[in-house]
Amino acid sequence: SIVNCQTSAGSERVGFFDSGIGGISVAREFLKLRPGADIFYIADWDYCPYGDKDHNIVLERAHTLTRKLLEKDCKLIVVACNTATAVAIDSLRATYNVQFVGMEPAVKPAALHSKTGVIGIIATANTFHGRLFRETSARFAANANIIPAVGEGFVELVENGELNTTKAHEVVAKVVEPL
């Protein structure tokens, strides 16, 4: 369902979507830059998480959610999900006459701040297979040693509110320790 997070008469309408609540942090940061924006947010819990879904499912969901946000007269749509951006941003931009902003893997800041040239990146498998990850890595971290790790179970922890639990520490340690 669509949640209208903030309403300001006559303000720009901006839509955000993610497979769950993780993109709320993106919307929150956006509101710091545009405090008067009229924000609509969709958490696609029926299909959460996107990270392990078939590309065609993620693509179909991105188009469906975009159409719902366009029905709300959104003039800018933020794909607040790395996986959906990796799979669908090009198709969305080619299909709809509206501006899209997507998530970019955090390769650039990691490369700029690495003291060793070794960068551990945690993301979904679909994010790692996307064009943006390859291009960002080539552009900003060509001389770095990137070690990718799939963050299995991370989205489920966030969606269930299990942020500082024994289970959360075990799931994170399983992915982080090998890095």
Side-chain angles (χ1 to χ4, degrees):
S1 64
I2 298 177
V3 177
N4 188 346
C5 300
Q6 176 174 320
T7 303
S8 301
S11 65
E12 64 184 325
R13 289 192 159 193
V14 182
F16 291 76
F17 73 85
D18 190 1
S19 66
I21 62 170
I24 288 286
S25 61
V26 178
R28 190 177 304 126
E29 292 302 312
F30 180 85
L31 283 173
K32 289 178 183 177
L33 299 172
R34 300 281 178 108
D38 193 7
I39 300 293
F40 290 87
Y41 185 88
I42 302 175
D44 194 18
W45 283 306
D46 288 342
Y47 290 84
C48 186
Y50 287 166
D52 60 354
K53 299 286 187 288
D54 181 81
H55 277 62
N56 290 327
I57 291 171
V58 177
L59 187 63
E60 183 275 325
R61 295 307 302 159
H63 280 271
T64 297
L65 301 177
T66 294
R67 287 190 298 273
K68 288 182 181 201
L69 291 169
L70 290 173
E71 289 171 5
K72 296 293 183 183
D73 201 30
C74 292
K75 302 299 184 202
L76 171 69
I77 296 177
V78 179
V79 183
C81 173
N82 280 298
T83 300
T85 299
V87 171
I89 195 80
D90 293 332
S91 176
L92 295 173
R93 287 176 174 154
T95 304
Y96 304 99
N97 188 24
V98 64
Q99 286 188 309
F100 286 92
V101 174
M103 301 299 293
E104 187 171 281
V107 174
K108 178 181 178 181
L112 292 174
H113 292 78
S114 175
K115 294 179 180 168
T116 64
V118 179
I119 303 167
I121 304 279
I122 300 171
T124 68
N126 280 333
T127 298
F128 287 130
H129 295 298
R131 174 188 60 79
L132 289 174
F133 179 74
R134 286 190 310 275
E135 288 178 4
T136 304
S137 298
R139 183 172 175 197
F140 297 105
N143 297 322
N145 178 16
I146 296 176
I147 304 170
V150 175
E152 288 186 33
F154 283 34
V155 171
E156 293 84 353
L157 290 170
V158 171
E159 295 301 319
N160 293 324
E162 297 182 59
L163 304 181
N164 197 16
T165 65
T166 301
K167 180 181 177 183
H169 288 275
E170 290 170 356
V171 168
V172 172
K174 183 179 177 182
V175 174
V176 172
E177 285 178 3
L179 293 177

